[in-house]
């Protein structure tokens, strides 16, 4: 038996569970919550469509790979709501352990490459990671805006929270952040946000 | 307003409906049917993990792109069961029209690139398309095998049908086809297939 192939197939089967991790966001024309696997597909598609808007030169294949695997830590750790109050460091630690476990199914040099891309995404210190992170934040904003406020409305989010938690889009793409601010402005006009506490 | 960006965002929002197209296969640890968006994510992951098994030199980024967009025709046409008796040409025509409509949301030169990749996948005449098609067939076999027969059992499929409908995996990867034949043999032993009509 081909042991490398066996390991790779085990890895594919193991990562299938990403389809069972539910996020807070819903698809535009569906009431159910989306799962992390379809979200990963969508942010990769967004990167391919929007690559020209990156602030810096990027390697778009690295960005796509990063986005396809950026949430593998959630297979063990689950999704954390972007506006949750759980200390970020605890969730990060759980996700890092999860990523380590799942990539461990791969042959050694593949494990190292995938884990390294996963860490690069988390650290957001390279042009590729900054643009990938912008995609990861931009797409849920589009979904919320196109589904009458979506999770913003459902969870009583205020506009300033959305700005605060998504402003790093600007590090990856100025033009997308300009677009995001217009979305937030239109969403405020449409009453998608809760009132700011006075 | 940036018209190119506006078109690209519309494209991303429009393709969100791929999450609502249900396939026949289920995730390994879930009873629901998977949708085409999460399937697209998984075959792209599989291509990245299994690239070394391609029969011919491939451009793995082209393969990944192709796989992420290979089912865009289904947004309008729906999924057709791999063992369905609907004439293939009718479904192909509906999917081609669907792909044309959806890619039309993109700026012209992007539309041309994406539609061309979509057609290349369908035609299965290049090394990249042959390997991509092998991924598209290999992954559902892994899911069926790991969920006690899955759709094979549910729909009374016989082993010879699985061989007939998946044998083009061999065009993309001899070693994966060898692996697939072993899966089919084990599945027969486990009673996952219906008896062949006598």
């Amino acid at each position: 038996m081909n042991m490398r192939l066996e390991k790779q197939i085990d890895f594919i089967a193991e990562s299938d569970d990403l389809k069972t991790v539910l996020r807070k966001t819903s698809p535009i024309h569906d009431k159910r919550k989306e799962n992390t696997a379809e979200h990963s597909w969508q942010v990769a598609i967004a990167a391919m469509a929007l690559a020209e808007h990156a602030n810096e030169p990027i390697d778009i294949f690295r960005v796509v790979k990063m986005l396809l695997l950026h949430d593998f830590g959630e297979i063990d750790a689950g999704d954390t709501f972007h506006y949750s109050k759980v200390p970020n460091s605890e969730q990060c630690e759980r996700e890092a352990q999860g990523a380590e476990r799942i990539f461990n199914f791969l042959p050694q040099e593949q494990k190292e490459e995938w884990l390294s891309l996963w860490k690069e995404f988390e650290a957001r210190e390279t042009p590729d990671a900054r643009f990938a992170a912008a995609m990861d934040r931009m797409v849920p904003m589009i979904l919320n805006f196109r589904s009458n406020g979506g999770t913003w409305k459902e969870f009583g989010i205020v506009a300033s929270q959305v700005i605060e938690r998504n402003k790093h889009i600007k590090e990856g793409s100025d033009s997308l952040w300009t677009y995001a601010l217009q979305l937030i402005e239109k969403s405020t006009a449409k009453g998608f946000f809760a009132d700011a506490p006075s």
Side-chain angles (χ1 to χ4, degrees), chain A:
Chain A
M1 191 54 232
N2 184 333
M3 284 304 293
R4 274 184 70 86
L5 178 53
E6 195 71 56
K7 280 174 82 84
Q8 289 155 340
I9 301 272
D10 282 346
F11 169 75
I12 293 165
E14 192 73 20
S15 63
D16 188 65
D17 284 348
L18 205 62
K19 296 173 185 165
T20 67
V21 178
L22 295 188
R23 294 165 44 83
K24 291 291 179 288
T25 315
S26 295
I28 297 173
H29 297 122
D30 208 334
K31 291 216 183 303
R32 70 176 175 88
K33 298 303 182 187
E34 66 174 359
N35 66 63
T36 304
E38 61 197 325
H39 159 73
S40 301
W41 162 80
Q42 191 163 40
V43 290
I45 287 288
M48 283 159 52
L50 300 172
E52 71 196 56
H53 303 286
N55 285 346
E56 302 161 276
I58 53 169
D59 177 337
I60 182 63
F61 185 31
R62 291 188 83 249
V63 172
V64 166
K65 281 202 278 193
M66 227 179 254
L67 284 166
L68 290 174
L69 59 79
H70 80 288
D71 274 338
F72 270 49
E74 293 187 2
I75 293 173
D76 291 351
D79 179 58
T80 300
F81 187 34
H82 197 55
Y83 300 98
S84 130
K85 294 191 173 59
V86 173
N88 208 25
S89 58
E90 282 177 30
Q91 175 69 6
C92 284
E93 182 51 34
R94 282 198 301 270
E95 290 187 7
Q97 287 170 1
E100 181 87 24
R101 186 189 71 81
I102 192 93
F103 293 133
N104 216 22
F105 281 90
L106 286 167
Q108 185 62 25
E109 92 288 357
Q110 279 185 310
K111 174 199 165 168
E112 283 165 17
E113 187 204 341
W114 292 52
L115 189 57
S116 154
L117 279 168
W118 184 87
K119 287 179 180 168
E120 182 177 334
F121 176 84
E122 289 289 303
R124 232 161 62 207
E125 285 169 354
T126 62
D128 291 350
R130 281 191 282 269
F131 187 69
M135 295 302 102
D136 191 37
R137 294 313 320 147
M138 196 66 211
V139 168
M141 294 188 71
I142 296 169
L143 299 190
N144 282 335
F145 179 73
R146 301 229 179 188
S147 49
N148 291 314
T151 46
W152 296 331
K153 206 156 184 179
E154 184 180 354
F155 296 97
I157 304 300
V158 304
S160 61
Q161 283 178 285
V162 177
I163 293 174
E164 181 56 31
R165 299 304 304 266
N166 293 296
K167 65 184 180 195
H168 65 73
I169 289 175
K170 189 173 164 56
E171 296 169 17
S173 170
D174 285 323
S175 49
L176 283 171
W177 182 236
T178 302
Y179 186 88
L181 287 174
Q182 289 165 353
L183 271 192
I184 292 169
E185 202 174 313
K186 286 183 203 164
S187 298
T188 302
K190 284 171 182 282
F192 292 165
F193 299 119
D195 292 330
S198 55

